Amino acid sequence: MKRIAAQDWYRTERLADGVTLISEPFIKAFYRCNIWHIRGRDRDVLVDSGMGVVSLRQWVPLVTEKNLLAVASHTHFDHIGCHHEFAERAVHQAEVQLLSAPTRANTLAYPYVSLEIFEALPPEPFASSAYAVRPAAPTQILNDHDIIDLGDRRLEVIHTPGHSPGGIALWEAATQTLFAGDIVYDGPLVEDLYHSNAQDYAQSMKRLLELPVRCVHAGHFPSYSGERHRQIIRQWLKDKEQA
């Protein structure tokens, strides 16, 4: 399989409201994490950090322009691979240990990381069999309703267990924007992992349905409208009731 040079590994796309999507296009869509950079007056936020197979700090200058808090929407391998590169790191209380002491099993690198998840490979010496997330003990522990203040914008932490125990979304009421992580996105949702919980998942979905969402930037697949957000959740809940 073709190897991609480090400088070509990431792509960036500037969206509205000071939000930039950073992605790893050579990872297949189902496994490709959306990395969200949110620009603030006093500091920036990075929601998730990808697989960590190529340095974000070295090859995406945007993430070094000012003080930055790297937030983990949850601690699966595709979302926290570069967290160790940042001095300020935040995660929900329920997944502090996972971010601090990741293993191939507890981050799901095993069994999911294999050659099959790539369209092309990172530069040498990457090998899927040796891939592991580096420890990144949090400097800030998040809980439900906490506020991340960027000076001119405020992001509310919403605890969304179900996909994983410490999953969170970030809600910016001023722009009606939801950074949803992996609890909901416009694609096949994952509900059967070793620490998933069906009852928690349903409660999280019902809670997110109540928000007056205009735009969703999720952990995977393209962003979508509030109307689509409500459609996805209502259909999901209906399917669960009929199951």
Side-chain angles (χ1 to χ4, degrees):
M1 193 181 297
K2 180 181 178 182
R3 295 270 183 177
I4 302 299
Q7 64 266 29
D8 298 323
W9 185 253
Y10 294 103
R11 289 182 186 167
T12 61
E13 179 184 359
R14 290 186 181 270
L15 307 178
D17 299 319
V19 174
T20 298
L21 169 62
I22 306 169
S23 62
E24 300 174 275
F26 303 102
I27 299 173
K28 291 181 179 178
F30 182 77
Y31 302 95
R32 183 191 312 144
C33 166
N34 292 329
I35 304 166
W36 298 106
H37 181 273
I38 308 167
R39 185 176 296 280
R41 184 191 65 206
D42 298 339
R43 63 171 175 168
D44 296 343
V45 159
L46 193 71
V47 183
D48 297 328
S49 63
M51 277 192 68
V53 293
V54 170
S55 169
L56 262 175
R57 287 187 62 86
Q58 184 174 357
W59 298 109
V60 182
L62 176 66
V63 304
T64 62
E65 288 180 355
K66 61 172 64 173
N67 291 338
L68 181 143
L69 175 66
V71 175
S73 70
H74 61 298
T75 56
H76 294 155
F77 72 91
D78 47 329
H79 293 261
I80 59 167
C82 282
H83 264 59
H84 67 277
E85 295 189 330
F86 298 95
E88 296 182 70
R89 304 174 294 271
V91 69
H92 187 270
Q93 184 175 19
E95 296 188 19
V96 167
Q97 182 61 24
L98 292 173
L99 190 62
S100 302
T103 68
R104 281 175 55 83
N106 69 19
T107 63
L108 298 174
Y110 176 82
Y112 289 104
V113 177
S114 70
L115 295 180
E116 298 302 314
I117 75 171
F118 295 96
E119 301 284 359
L121 292 177
E124 292 183 339
F126 173 82
S128 60
S129 60
Y131 170 82
V133 174
R134 292 177 58 176
T139 60
Q140 182 176 349
I141 297 173
L142 301 174
N143 286 289
D144 198 33
H145 297 300
D146 283 354
I147 299 295
I148 298 174
D149 191 345
L150 306 187
D152 57 345
R153 56 198 309 181
R154 292 163 59 86
L155 304 169
E156 180 184 356
V157 175
I158 301 177
H159 184 206
T160 55
H163 177 74
S164 72
I168 62 168
L170 297 181
W171 169 239
E172 185 172 42
T175 60
Q176 297 178 298
T177 301
L178 182 70
F179 297 88
D182 276 11
I183 194 69
V184 60
Y185 47 74
D186 199 353
L189 300 178
V190 179
E191 311 163 38
D192 59 353
L193 302 171
Y194 76 96
H195 54 185
S196 298
N197 181 287
Q199 184 176 359
D200 286 347
Y201 211 121
Q203 291 303 311
S204 293
M205 290 291 250
K206 290 174 183 177
R207 185 177 180 190
L208 294 182
L209 182 60
E210 297 175 354
L211 294 174
V213 173
R214 177 188 60 84
C215 176
V216 178
H217 300 311
H220 296 272
F221 301 105
S223 300
Y224 51 94
S225 68
E227 180 180 1
R228 177 61 178 152
H229 171 73
R230 289 177 279 276
Q231 182 183 42
I232 290 169
I233 295 180
R234 286 174 178 143
Q235 185 62 53
W236 187 92
L237 292 170
K238 181 179 179 181
D239 290 344
K240 295 302 175 186
E241 291 171 359
Q242 295 174 348

